[in-house]
């Protein structure tokens, strides 16, 4: 079997990227691939999403390095790592990491795959991310996007393209769960509390709900992040703290999916949100912004959820209120059988990854 390394920014981080990467890595390890994980940062002894015992985890520990010294040291250590471990295929997790991997792999002959987890239009205000994507287009062998829409964004935005573009969605790695016929009056939303996830917009939408609905229902935001204090301040200012709970990050997150009535995604942008796959596995009706990219590929309007114009807080509030007030509609959505989910089953996704890694 080939020797493969997944190159990750921080092996100790908690987020959707790290979660789905751990699923793919573990499935490859179960299939007897020789899998390594290499991180720029993080502690191998403090990994939130655990790996299979045969996955070898290494950190470069560059926390104390800055500027040119950090770049040169990282490139030297990456090159040393791939040579010492006889790596055949190098998978860069997150396109911005190509600024490290492309020069490090120059003239090595190692197959280079760049795995995008956002979408081409989003650079988070970091010019280096846009530049890294152009590097990947010129020098990587393959670029894996999460959605078909994003492949078009990459083609339209390329200065020059050598890399082959491949669409592999995140897998539905959970088994379909039993429908809960007696859920609590709870809306949940899961993710890092950052600008991307738009929890501030969700709180604004919650504040626009009729008071009687907020008295009957509870909103649980499950996750941590750098914007938590700002979100707490907004909740206090709007006077909605009695019906909103910030749960924090937890490994027991599926317990909340089991008992909730609705899932809400308020993201400003995505790649292909794992949380929507999880919500669908638990038969949760979904209200989501139709942001780039992902929600439109998973939500069938009026069947398993409601797509709302991206960023439209009032429409998000109205859609939530309509679903919260309609027991029958929620029941129909919980029992709806989507045909799209079969294309996201883990076995099929792993076959696609196996083809990319050959």
């Amino acid at each position: 079997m080939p020797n493969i390394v997944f190159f990750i920014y921080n092996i100790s981080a908690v987020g959707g990227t790290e979660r789905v990467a751990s699923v793919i890595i573990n499935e490859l390890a179960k299939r007897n691939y020789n899998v390594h994980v290499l991180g720029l940062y993080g502690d191998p002894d403090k990994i939130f999403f655990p790996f299979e015992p045969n996955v070898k985890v290494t950190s470069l520990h560059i926390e104390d390095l800055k500027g040119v010294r950090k770049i040169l040291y990282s490139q030297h250590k990456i090159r040393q790592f791939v040579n010492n471990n006889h790596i055949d295929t190098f998978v860069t997790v997150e396109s911005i990491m190509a600024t490290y991997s492309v020069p490090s792999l120059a003239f090595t002959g190692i197959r280079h795959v760049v795995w995008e987890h956002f979408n081409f239009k989003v650079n988070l205000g970091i010019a280096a991310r846009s530049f890294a994507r152009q590097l990947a287009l010129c020098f990587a062998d393959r670029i894996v996007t999460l959605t078909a829409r994003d492949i078009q964004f990459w083609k339209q935005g390329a200065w020059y393209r050598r890399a082959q573009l491949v669409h592999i969605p995140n897998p539905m790695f959970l088994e379909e769960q039993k429908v809960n016929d007696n859920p609590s009056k709870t809306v949940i939303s899961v993710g890092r509390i950052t600008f991307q996830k738009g929890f501030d917009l969700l709180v604004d939408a919650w504040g626009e709900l009729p008071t009687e609905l907020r008295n009957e229902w509870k909103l649980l935001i499950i996750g941590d992040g750098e914007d938590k204090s700002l979100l707490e301040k907004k909740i206090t200012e709007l006077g909605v703290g009695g019906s909103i709970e910030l749960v924090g990050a937890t490994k027991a997150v599926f317990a909340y999916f089991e008992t909730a009535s609705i899932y809400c995604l308020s993201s400003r942008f995505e790649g292909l949100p794992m949380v929507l796959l999880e919500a669908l596995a638990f038969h949760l009706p979904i209200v989501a912004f139709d942001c780039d990219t992902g929600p439109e590929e998973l939500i069938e309007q009026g069947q398993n959820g409601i797509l709302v114009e991206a960023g439209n807080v009032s429409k998000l509030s109205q859609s939530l209120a309509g679903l919260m007030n309609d027991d029958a509609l929620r029941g129909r959505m919980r029992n709806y059988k989507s045909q799209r989910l079969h294309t996201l089953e883990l076995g099929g996704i792993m076959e696609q990854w196996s083809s990319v890694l050959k």
Side-chain angles (χ1 to χ4, degrees):
M1 278 293 183
N3 285 319
I4 300 168
V5 61
F6 284 77
F7 180 46
I8 295 176
Y9 181 74
N10 186 338
I11 57 177
S12 302
V14 180
T17 297
E18 292 76 25
R19 180 185 295 181
V20 71
S22 71
V23 171
I24 299 301
I25 289 165
N26 285 334
E27 286 301 312
L28 289 170
K30 291 174 186 176
R31 288 163 168 76
N32 296 319
Y33 282 81
N34 299 315
V35 186
H36 300 258
V37 176
L38 178 65
L40 281 180
Y41 300 93
D43 185 345
D45 295 323
K46 296 180 180 178
I47 295 173
F48 191 84
F49 301 109
F51 296 116
E52 290 291 309
N54 57 330
V55 174
K56 306 164 195 73
V57 183
T58 306
S59 175
L60 296 183
H61 292 299
I62 64 169
E63 286 84 353
D64 297 328
L65 300 178
K66 294 181 180 179
V68 175
R69 185 167 173 244
K70 178 173 77 171
I71 294 170
L72 293 177
Y73 174 84
S74 301
Q75 290 177 4
H76 168 70
K77 296 301 287 185
I78 292 168
R79 205 173 183 95
Q80 186 180 67
F81 179 90
V82 297
N83 287 330
N84 290 345
N85 291 283
H86 308 289
I87 297 300
D88 302 299
T89 302
F90 193 102
V91 181
T92 297
V93 181
E94 286 286 20
S95 55
I96 193 172
M97 297 286 282
T99 54
Y100 292 93
S101 56
V102 164
S104 301
L105 299 177
F107 308 113
T108 62
I110 294 170
R111 185 185 300 107
H112 187 194
V113 178
V114 174
W115 187 8
E116 176 66 88
H117 280 265
F118 290 107
N119 69 72
F120 190 85
K121 288 186 174 182
V122 172
N123 71 1
L124 301 180
I126 303 171
R129 189 183 298 275
S130 297
F131 177 67
R133 287 176 174 141
Q134 298 300 335
L135 279 179
L137 282 160
C138 291
F139 297 105
D141 295 289
R142 291 187 177 180
I143 295 168
V144 176
T145 72
L146 299 180
T147 64
R149 184 195 286 192
D150 197 30
I151 282 186
Q152 298 308 312
F153 293 162
W154 278 81
K155 287 180 177 178
Q156 292 162 8
W159 301 342
Y160 169 82
R161 178 166 65 90
R162 169 186 174 273
Q164 179 185 358
L165 293 166
V166 183
H167 160 220
I168 305 180
N170 287 335
M172 173 72 85
F173 64 90
L174 285 176
E175 291 185 7
E176 191 174 355
Q177 305 295 304
K178 183 180 177 182
V179 174
N180 185 347
D181 292 322
N182 190 31
S184 63
K185 288 192 172 183
T186 305
V187 178
I188 66 169
S189 194
V190 181
R192 284 188 56 77
I193 303 179
T194 62
F195 175 80
Q196 175 200 349
K197 298 301 181 182
F199 291 128
D200 56 322
L201 304 179
L202 176 54
V203 169
D204 285 336
W206 193 261
E208 292 185 14
L209 290 173
T211 303
E212 58 270 22
L213 271 181
R214 292 203 308 272
N215 289 339
E216 290 179 31
W217 287 72
K218 190 92 170 177
L219 170 63
L220 303 183
I221 296 175
I222 304 163
D224 287 309
E226 58 266 30
D227 290 345
K228 185 174 183 178
S229 60
L230 294 175
L231 193 63
E232 290 172 333
K233 182 180 178 183
K234 176 179 278 286
I235 290 169
T236 301
E237 289 174 348
L238 291 178
V240 292
S243 59
I244 299 178
E245 182 181 349
L246 302 185
V247 174
T250 173
K251 292 185 178 181
V253 67
F254 293 145
Y256 295 96
F257 281 88
E258 287 175 356
T259 57
S261 286
I262 298 170
Y263 189 91
C264 186
L265 183 129
S266 54
S267 297
R268 291 178 166 91
F269 54 88
E270 283 288 351
L272 183 69
M274 288 295 295
V275 289
L276 290 191
L277 294 173
E278 291 160 354
L280 292 173
F282 281 93
H283 301 276
L284 284 182
I286 297 167
V287 179
F289 280 144
D290 187 16
C291 63
D292 288 333
T293 52
E296 72 161 0
E297 300 199 11
L298 299 175
I299 296 173
E300 298 170 65
Q301 188 73 304
Q303 300 296 324
N304 57 5
I306 301 170
L307 280 172
V308 178
E309 178 188 5
N312 192 325
V313 168
S314 293
K315 284 284 180 66
L316 186 70
S317 182
Q318 291 164 17
S319 297
L320 277 171
L323 197 52
M324 292 158 76
N325 277 317
D326 195 333
D327 295 350
L329 178 57
R330 294 198 310 276
R332 288 197 300 273
M333 287 185 175
R334 279 199 301 272
N335 289 294
Y336 177 70
K337 299 293 184 182
S338 174
Q339 297 305 306
R340 296 185 186 182
L341 298 186
H342 296 305
T343 64
L344 302 173
E345 290 175 352
L346 184 56
I349 298 301
M350 293 311 303
E351 288 302 314
Q352 293 179 62
W353 268 107
S354 295
S355 295
V356 166
L357 298 173
K358 283 180 180 176

